[in-house]
């Protein structure tokens, strides 16, 4: 179930130190928060020395608070000429601050202003879950985990080189200083991992020792005589991965270009192969696609993954623009109208129960919805003010441009056969000539994945979708995306998109009058009377084929090497085809999922902390279909 976040309150003690009424404790010592962060957490973990010369270094913190420990670490990393190439910082927070409150709090440390401003610029809306933020041109990755650490730490998949044990005092916040948390820290510890905390309380020491950490007392900071530093007991030094970082990516749609850009950001070389003359020609070739999440009252997996994908996608779009590779899109807002009065009540219940930030989601009644659209509508629904439309081919091109010289493209090349020889995957064309080879191959070729025998275990179904192009004048309503068992976009280059049909296992490529009529019927359902201006016999449009999965969730991960498994078999025990991965099953939600799915697979391949909860990553594993019968008939536009 969805647990609404309760934001932290900006309150100060009598001496001006930030204070939490909920825990009756201050956020940092009166001797100075920045000094405490540097002395306890950096020096206590022997930083920056331990990260020097490393490709990657990962820190896990319990209690983000004001973000001072993160900002102090980031500042120290920036000024260290021998720093690691990439820094990962993962932090949990049950009661995060609003960005405006952080701005007031951060003003006390002017030396941190540039970093603090960059952090706040990317501060996520206060909704539960994992929030991945790339900072400092992508060299620093902050993963904020909003929620109770007792619930969220077991969902974290990472190998931590250092731990910052922070949070309010053990007497005031005992859950954070408990054996359950210490056990998670031990699970997450990489070989040679260290920890540091200002607390020397007896049960804290004993709990950490029982979890497998050896401890030593060091001089404390400010008024505290001592602090603790620790290390994983009987561990060896961490060794860096030496696997060749070169991948074939088959497919240059939003799936393929997203994983390409994310791998390139990590220093990989990528060879992209596509039979089209350029990126974004298949299911990713539409003029305007819908970009918004899909909540649910029970906050099911679909809701959580679309929320995470939407928020990461927003961050990714901003990062592409900052790098000079802006795709074409508009955060015009998305109005998701209810199908009937029963669903309208459910939509309102979601907002009333979950109380999301209003700049992320709010419920609007029929009258306000009509005002937003500029056209009378029958019911209210969800209003996503930061949603919008994206032109998929421009996103594909932007991803490849951002990947730069790390990517080599092989367009107008059809992969007819894929073979593994001597730990290399080799792609061959129909004539039997080699196109390219690499130790890793990623199948992101939409419905074409079914033509490769290695992917035969994946239940990907092609779904024909026809979009109707409606002539439109600039400024004519609607100027937002409107959904209701279909969608209609604002005017883009003199046209608005309406649709789309969803016909499984139909491989016809021709435009059909019957499907134009179906799209116009949907349009009339969305905006009563709007479709009367259009003649279905004269409309243009576009047909694409979306790879759909039986459970409506994408498939991302290593492809199974077997066709069947016992339902009780752990996913980790299912044999995989070495070096072969799939990114498929996006259905009608590719734009919402693509960027996050690219980050997820790139993190798995490169050994980074995962950007999603473990249970959600498992829910996307292609091997899940071997353990349970797929739900038939799932799919569609909503």
């Amino acid at each position: 179930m969805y647990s609404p976040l309760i934001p932290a309150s900006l309150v100060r003690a009598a001496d001006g130190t930030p204070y939490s009424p909920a825990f009756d404790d201050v956020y940092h010592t009166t001797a100075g928060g920045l000094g405490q962060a540097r002395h306890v957490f950096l020096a206590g973990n022997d930083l920056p020395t331990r990260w020097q010369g490393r490709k990657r270094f990962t820190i896990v913190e319990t209690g983000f608070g004001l973000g001072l420990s993160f900002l102090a670490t980031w500042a120290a990393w920036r000024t260290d000429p021998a720093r690691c190439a990439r820094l990962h910082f993962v932090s949990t927070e049950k009661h995060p601050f609003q960005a405006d409150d952080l701005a007031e709090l951060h003003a006390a440390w002017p030396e941190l202003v540039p970093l603090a401003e960059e952090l706040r610029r990317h501060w996520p809306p206060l909704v539960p879950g994992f929030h991945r933020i790339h900072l400092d041109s992508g060299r620093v990755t902050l993963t904020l985990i909003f929620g109770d650490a007792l619930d969220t730490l077991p969902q974290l998949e990472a190998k931590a080189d250092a731990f910052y044990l922070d949070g309010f005092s053990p007497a005031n916040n005992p859950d954070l200083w408990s054996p359950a948390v210490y056990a998670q820290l031990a699970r997450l510890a990489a070989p040679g991992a260290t920890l540091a905390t200002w607390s020397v309380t007896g049960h804290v020491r004993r709990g950490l020792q029982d979890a497998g950490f050896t401890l030593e007392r060091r001089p404390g900071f400010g008024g505290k005589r001592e602090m603790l530093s620790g290390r994983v007991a009987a561990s060896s030094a961490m060794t860096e991965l030496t696997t060749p970082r070169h991948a074939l990516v088959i497919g240059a749609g939003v799936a393929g270009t997203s994983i390409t850009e994310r791998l390139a950001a990590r220093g990989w070389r990528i060879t992209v192969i596509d039979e089209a003359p350029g990126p974004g020609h298949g299911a990713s070739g539409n003029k305007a696609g819908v970009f918004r999440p899909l909540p649910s009252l029970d906050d099911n997996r679909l809701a959580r993954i679309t929320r995470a994908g939407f928020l990461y996608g927003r961050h990714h779009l901003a990062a592409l623009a900052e790098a000079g590779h802006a795709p074409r899109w508009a955060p015009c807002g998305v109005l998701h109208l209810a199908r009937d009065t029963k669903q309208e009540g459910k939509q309102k219940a979601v907002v009333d129960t979950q109380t999301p930030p209003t700049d992320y989601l709010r419920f609007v009644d029929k009258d306000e919805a009509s005002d937003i659209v500029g056209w009378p509508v029958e019911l209210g629904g969800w209003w996503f003010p930061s949603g919008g439309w994206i032109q998929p081919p421009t996103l594909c091109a932007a991803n490849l441009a951002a990947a730069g010289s790390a990517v080599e493209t092989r367009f107008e090349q059809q992969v007819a056969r894929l073979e593994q020889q001597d730990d290399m995957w080799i792609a061959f064309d129909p004539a039997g000539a080699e196109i390219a080879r690499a130790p890793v191959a990623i199948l992101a070729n939409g419905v074409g994945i079914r033509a490769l025998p290695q992917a035969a275990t994946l239940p990907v179904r092609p779904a024909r979708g026809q979009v109707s192009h409606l002539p439109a004048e600039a400024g004519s309503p609607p100027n937002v995306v409107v959904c209701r068992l279909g969608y209609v976009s604002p005017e883009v280059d003199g046209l608005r998109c309406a649709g789309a049909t969803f016909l499984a296992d139909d491989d016809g490529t021709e435009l059909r009058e019957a499907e134009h009529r179906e799209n116009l019927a949907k349009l009339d359902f969305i905006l009563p009377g709007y479709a009367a201006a259009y003649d279905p016999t004269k409309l243009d449009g576009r047909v694409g084929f979306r790879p759909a999965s039986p459970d409506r969730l994408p498939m991302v991960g290593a492809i199974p090497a077997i066709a069947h498994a016992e339902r009780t078999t752990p996913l980790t025990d299912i044999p995989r085809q070495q070096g072969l991965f799939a990114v498929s099953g996006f259905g009608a939600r590719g734009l919402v999922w693509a960027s996050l799915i690219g980050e997820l697979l790139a993190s798995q391949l490169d050994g980074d902390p995962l950007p999603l909860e473990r249970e959600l990553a498992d829910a996307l594993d292609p091997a899940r279909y071997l353990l349970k019968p797929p739900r038939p008939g799932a799919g569609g536009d909503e």
Side-chain angles (χ1 to χ4, degrees):
M1 288 295 291
Y2 187 102
S3 297
L5 293 179
I6 301 174
S9 301
L10 203 172
V11 179
R12 296 183 186 273
D15 62 359
T17 305
Y19 165 81
S20 170
F23 292 95
D24 189 24
D25 200 0
V26 292
Y27 277 90
H28 59 74
T29 175
T30 57
L34 188 56
Q36 177 180 332
R38 289 167 171 162
H39 179 90
V40 174
F41 298 116
L42 275 95
N45 280 287
D46 300 325
L47 300 176
T49 302
R50 290 185 55 244
W51 68 39
Q52 291 177 348
R54 297 274 298 273
K55 292 180 180 177
R56 169 183 50 242
F57 195 86
T58 300
I59 298 168
V60 172
E61 176 187 52
T62 57
F64 189 77
L66 315 184
L68 272 183
S69 296
F70 167 67
L71 291 171
T73 303
W74 184 8
W77 177 87
R78 283 177 62 95
T79 57
D80 180 9
R83 62 181 175 258
C84 53
R86 297 175 61 240
L87 177 67
H88 274 274
F89 196 101
V90 182
S91 185
T92 65
E93 181 53 60
K94 187 176 182 179
H95 300 295
F97 278 101
Q98 302 278 4
D100 290 345
D101 290 339
L102 285 177
E104 181 176 333
L105 292 162
H106 292 161
W109 297 280
E111 63 269 48
L112 297 177
V113 164
L115 303 186
E117 286 181 345
E118 184 174 349
L119 169 64
R120 294 194 304 274
R121 240 185 358 261
H122 298 289
W123 192 248
L126 302 192
V127 295
F130 285 37
H131 300 269
R132 174 149 293 183
I133 301 168
H134 301 292
L135 303 163
D136 213 320
S137 300
R139 299 175 300 170
V140 174
T141 298
L142 171 63
T143 304
L144 288 166
I145 306 176
F146 288 164
D148 192 321
L150 286 175
D151 300 324
T152 59
L153 279 176
Q155 293 298 326
L156 175 61
E157 191 66 52
K159 286 299 179 185
D161 301 297
F163 294 100
Y164 294 0
L165 276 63
D166 204 354
F168 299 109
S169 71
N172 297 41
N173 189 16
D175 287 348
L176 198 60
W177 305 85
S178 65
V181 169
Y182 305 147
Q184 291 302 318
L185 302 185
R187 177 185 67 84
L188 294 167
T194 62
L195 66 84
T197 179
W198 46 265
S199 177
V200 292
T201 302
H203 72 79
V204 171
R205 298 197 313 272
R206 291 188 295 274
L208 288 170
Q209 288 169 338
D210 290 343
F213 293 93
T214 57
L215 303 174
E216 65 172 312
R217 297 174 186 259
R218 293 189 184 183
F221 176 77
K224 288 190 67 67
R225 187 166 59 88
E226 293 180 318
M227 57 167 279
L228 285 182
S229 181
R231 185 176 293 272
V232 175
S235 62
S236 59
M238 184 73 174
T239 57
E240 299 280 7
L241 296 173
T242 57
T243 305
R245 302 163 90 210
H246 178 206
L248 298 182
V249 173
I250 301 174
V254 291
T257 61
S258 293
I259 181 60
T260 294
E261 189 276 333
R262 290 290 76 214
L263 286 174
R266 289 164 165 80
W268 283 59
R269 291 189 302 114
I270 308 97
T271 303
V272 176
I273 308 171
D274 198 294
E275 60 188 47
H281 279 253
S284 302
N286 289 330
K287 291 182 176 294
V290 183
F291 181 59
R292 58 91 166 85
L294 192 66
S296 71
L297 190 58
D298 62 351
D299 204 34
N300 58 32
R301 294 178 306 176
L302 177 61
R304 293 163 64 193
I305 295 169
T306 57
R307 179 170 69 241
F310 172 75
L311 294 174
Y312 183 81
R314 287 271 319 192
H315 179 72
H316 181 63
L317 289 165
L320 288 173
E322 289 177 11
H325 308 297
R328 193 171 183 198
W329 82 289
C332 58
V334 176
L335 182 63
H336 185 132
L337 296 170
R339 295 189 297 269
D340 50 38
T341 54
K342 183 178 180 180
Q343 192 195 32
E344 185 182 40
K346 290 181 178 179
Q347 288 182 318
K348 188 175 187 305
V350 167
V351 177
D352 291 344
T353 302
Q354 299 180 1
T355 61
T358 56
D359 59 351
Y360 170 74
L361 166 64
R362 63 187 181 90
F363 177 82
V364 295
D365 62 19
K366 178 180 73 171
D367 292 339
E368 187 175 358
S370 298
D371 289 341
I372 290 171
V373 176
W375 191 272
V377 299
E378 295 177 338
L379 294 168
W382 286 324
W383 171 237
F384 301 98
S386 58
W389 60 267
I390 299 174
Q391 194 167 80
T394 69
L395 176 58
C396 299
N399 282 330
L400 293 184
S405 60
V407 62
E408 179 185 7
T409 57
R410 304 285 179 85
F411 290 121
E412 299 184 284
Q413 295 270 3
Q414 180 186 353
V415 177
R417 193 172 85 255
L418 192 65
E419 290 185 5
Q420 189 177 34
Q421 299 177 12
D422 300 324
D423 296 325
M424 298 289 283
W425 284 100
I426 307 173
F428 295 94
D429 68 13
E434 179 178 322
I435 302 172
R437 65 173 62 200
V440 171
I442 300 168
L443 308 184
N445 51 335
V447 298
I449 195 172
R450 303 190 317 155
L452 297 172
Q454 291 89 349
T457 59
L458 305 183
V460 178
R461 298 181 69 190
R464 171 190 158 97
Q466 180 171 311
V467 175
S468 298
H469 294 163
L470 312 179
E473 295 183 3
S476 60
N479 285 318
V480 302
V481 178
V482 193
C483 305
R484 192 188 185 202
L485 289 181
Y487 77 95
V488 59
S489 76
E491 176 270 335
V492 181
D493 297 334
L495 296 172
R496 66 177 82 252
C497 297
T501 58
F502 194 96
L503 301 175
D505 301 318
D506 184 331
D507 58 4
T509 60
E510 74 284 0
L511 285 172
R512 298 171 182 168
E513 181 185 328
E515 290 183 53
H516 280 317
R517 291 185 183 278
E518 181 181 337
N519 287 337
L520 290 178
K522 289 181 180 180
L523 178 59
D524 223 36
F525 185 64
I526 299 168
L527 305 176
Y530 197 95
Y534 300 101
D535 182 347
T537 67
K538 298 179 180 178
L539 291 179
D540 199 357
R542 187 179 187 278
V543 174
F545 296 89
R546 296 165 291 197
S549 70
D551 58 6
R552 299 198 300 163
L553 295 177
M555 310 170 193
V556 54
I559 298 177
I562 56 176
H564 305 284
E566 294 294 328
R567 294 189 186 182
T568 56
T569 306
L571 283 170
T572 52
D573 290 350
I574 294 178
R576 310 298 176 118
Q577 298 181 66
Q578 186 65 35
L580 186 63
F581 300 83
V583 183
S584 190
F586 284 11
R589 298 186 177 90
L591 290 174
V592 181
W593 283 330
S595 299
L596 176 64
I597 295 306
E599 174 67 11
L600 173 61
L601 182 54
S603 298
Q604 292 171 334
L605 287 169
D606 213 44
D608 289 340
L610 298 191
L612 270 178
E613 293 91 329
R614 294 171 76 188
E615 64 180 332
L616 296 184
D618 287 348
L620 305 179
D621 192 320
R624 68 189 186 268
Y625 297 108
L626 305 186
L627 308 180
K628 59 183 179 181
R631 184 165 61 88
D637 295 314
E638 284 196 69

